[in-house]
Amino acid sequence: ASDVYKRQIMYNRRSFIAGSTSLGLCLNPYNISIAQQAVKKTNSGETLHNISSYRYQKWQDHFKSIKNGAILSDTKSKCLHFWIGDKDIYKIYPTSVPLTPELTRTGYTKVVQKVVGPDWRPTEAMRKRDPQLPKYMPPGPDNPLGTHALYLSWPNYRIHGTSDTRKIGRQSSSGCIGLYNEHIEELFNFVNIGTPCLLYTSDAADEGLGVDL
């Protein structure tokens, strides 16, 4: 392989995630080049790492309005997009996603509860897959929901933090979407009760324009 190709290889998913942690990837239509630069390719045009499947999303393709904010979690690229109209904000965060397609629910939902310091009760299905899981875990550094959680209208589905940073950028959850704790805290402060949310796989058929939630 050429020296140029080797240098490109070194710019892998880990370096993108580390950069996104420090920058927060706060984008707007006038600064979208930051996101485009995250995609590294070989001289023949092949992508080099999983996170390069990221693609720019337009809220107009998925939602009727962003007045109350809007969340799009792309499980293919492992990125969460957030827009809110009155503040002219567009944020992108790296995420963890469900382990398997069977655990990956897609479609429209909304935020129905916001919790600082969430506790955790694994579902029966989770404990069946892993009998070593506790029945209950109180808030704290070992809690897999991290420091903050956004509860969705679907039962047992959340967007939450994690103290296990190895999970970010990977298929590692039982259905929820995980963010770095510092990112979920920032998103938590932007999001309102009732904010619409779309869990979406970017290579799936068009989900259609968002419904009123």
Side-chain angles (χ1 to χ4, degrees):
S2 68
D3 290 340
V4 172
Y5 179 80
K6 289 178 181 178
R7 286 196 296 270
Q8 289 175 322
I9 286 288
M10 293 175 67
Y11 189 98
N12 60 10
R13 181 177 65 186
R14 184 179 298 275
S15 62
F16 171 80
I17 291 173
S20 65
T21 303
S22 60
L23 294 175
L25 279 184
C26 182
L27 308 179
N28 59 51
Y30 305 103
N31 197 25
I32 195 60
S33 60
I34 294 175
Q36 292 171 337
Q37 290 168 5
V39 179
K40 290 295 180 180
K41 298 185 177 183
T42 66
N43 293 334
S44 62
E46 296 178 352
T47 56
L48 290 175
H49 45 78
N50 289 340
I51 202 68
S52 69
S53 61
Y54 162 80
R55 67 178 185 182
Y56 172 56
Q57 297 283 353
K58 293 167 59 180
W59 69 263
Q60 294 91 338
D61 291 339
H62 306 284
F63 302 96
K64 292 181 177 179
S65 170
I66 56 171
K67 183 178 179 180
N68 194 38
I71 296 169
L72 184 151
S73 180
D74 184 348
T75 61
K76 177 70 174 180
S77 65
K78 305 178 186 68
C79 286
L80 183 146
H81 303 250
F82 173 76
W83 302 264
I84 189 163
D86 61 352
K87 296 182 176 65
D88 193 27
I89 287 172
Y90 175 27
K91 290 272 189 175
I92 304 173
Y93 305 104
T95 71
S96 63
V97 298
L99 283 164
T100 66
E102 292 75 22
L103 294 172
T104 305
R105 184 167 181 175
T106 59
Y108 288 94
T109 179
K110 63 182 177 181
V111 175
V112 296
Q113 186 180 9
K114 299 171 60 177
V115 176
V116 178
D119 58 8
W120 183 53
R121 291 178 174 83
T123 64
E124 290 184 11
M126 291 178 190
R127 298 188 69 236
K128 186 176 181 179
R129 288 192 298 270
D130 184 358
Q132 295 184 343
L133 289 177
K135 291 184 177 180
Y136 172 78
M137 184 173 287
D142 295 326
N143 190 302
L145 301 188
T147 59
H148 298 69
L150 302 172
Y151 288 67
L152 305 179
S153 58
W154 299 333
N156 301 313
Y157 280 82
R158 309 170 188 88
I159 299 169
H160 60 77
T162 179
S163 299
D164 188 351
T165 58
R166 298 170 299 175
K167 293 183 176 181
I168 303 301
R170 298 182 180 182
Q171 294 174 272
S172 58
S173 82
S174 294
C176 295
I177 302 298
L179 281 72
Y180 290 113
N181 278 331
E182 57 266 36
H183 287 172
I184 188 63
E185 181 178 3
E186 181 178 74
L187 180 65
F188 187 97
N189 291 328
F190 285 131
V191 167
N192 301 309
I193 299 297
T195 293
C197 179
L198 172 61
L199 272 63
Y200 166 86
T201 301
S202 56
D203 61 351
D206 184 18
E207 296 277 355
L209 189 62
V211 296
D212 294 322
L213 292 170

